[in-house]
Amino acid sequence: RLGYAAELSDVSLELLGTSLGQLSKKMEEAARGGKAGKLFSELGISVTDAQGKMRSTEAVLGDVSDVLAKMPPGAQRTAMAMRLLGKSGAQMLPMLQGGSESLREMAAEAEAMGLVISSGTAAASEEFNDNLTRLQAVLRGVTTIIAANLAPVLKDLSQWLVDAAKAFQSLSPATQSWITAIAAGTVV
């Protein structure tokens, strides 16, 4: 959902991830009573819900975007974005300048276009990937078992070929030519 909003705003997914990570750290700090709590409080943003549980980073980002959207463009807004989202905050402003309503609209558009994967689909996809990993392990195991069972036979075969090659080298040139001619005639 936020990825689509980032793309529309020319914000890279890497930058979005970095910013969300910084916001999450600030939220954790605020929830523990750290100095970020004062910042969120001054802005009227709560990082916890009515039951005292942490709100989602996406929900808090919506509140942050509302605060930033109300500020006039300029150094103060950029500084506030950086205080809340880290160094990448300034680059996030194009995505956040429309406030939480704009983020909701872009998220709804992403869902309408089928860009959002449901949690059920994501879980099924994860299970599918886990099964692919299991199948790869089974194939490696089968390959190991086959190789282990064939090793003695392959060892004997390769030794026979080495012995045959040595024996061929000890034959007279005329016999070698005769065997070569027969082999060539058999192959063709």
Side-chain angles (χ1 to χ4, degrees):
R1 296 165 39 107
L2 288 175
Y4 179 68
E7 288 176 12
L8 285 178
S9 305
D10 292 325
V11 172
S12 73
L13 293 179
E14 181 180 352
L15 184 71
L16 174 64
T18 300
S19 296
L20 291 175
Q22 289 297 317
L23 181 59
S24 292
K25 287 179 187 176
K26 296 265 194 241
M27 290 170 59
E28 285 290 329
E29 180 186 325
R32 288 192 315 268
K35 65 181 181 179
K38 182 179 180 195
L39 174 61
F40 283 112
S41 181
E42 288 173 1
L43 297 173
I45 298 174
S46 178
V47 298
T48 57
D49 62 18
Q51 290 77 36
K53 294 181 183 176
M54 289 289 290
R55 293 175 61 214
S56 72
T57 304
E58 185 174 346
V60 173
L61 183 68
D63 293 347
V64 166
S65 69
D66 286 338
V67 167
L68 294 173
K70 291 175 186 171
M71 296 178 75
Q76 285 184 331
R77 181 165 72 171
T78 301
M80 182 59 68
M82 292 175 69
R83 284 179 67 194
L84 292 164
L85 304 170
K87 294 176 187 175
S88 58
Q91 296 166 302
M92 289 286 292
L93 285 171
M95 179 178 152
L96 303 175
Q97 67 189 359
S100 62
E101 182 59 31
S102 176
L103 291 177
R104 277 192 294 279
E105 288 171 4
M106 289 185 276
E109 189 173 301
E111 287 180 22
M113 293 191 309
L115 300 175
V116 178
I117 296 174
S118 71
S119 59
T121 302
S125 177
E126 186 176 330
E127 192 171 328
F128 173 70
N129 284 333
D130 290 348
N131 284 338
L132 284 178
T133 300
R134 287 181 186 103
L135 285 173
Q136 289 172 340
V138 166
L139 288 174
R140 284 193 311 268
V142 168
T143 302
T144 301
I145 291 168
I146 291 171
N149 287 326
L150 285 178
V153 174
L154 293 174
K155 179 187 82 71
D156 291 344
L157 176 62
S158 63
Q159 186 60 53
W160 181 83
L161 290 171
V162 168
D163 293 343
K166 287 179 183 176
F168 184 79
Q169 292 298 321
S170 67
L171 298 174
S172 69
T175 305
Q176 286 180 359
S177 293
W178 181 75
I179 291 174
T180 303
I182 291 174
T186 304
V187 171
V188 177

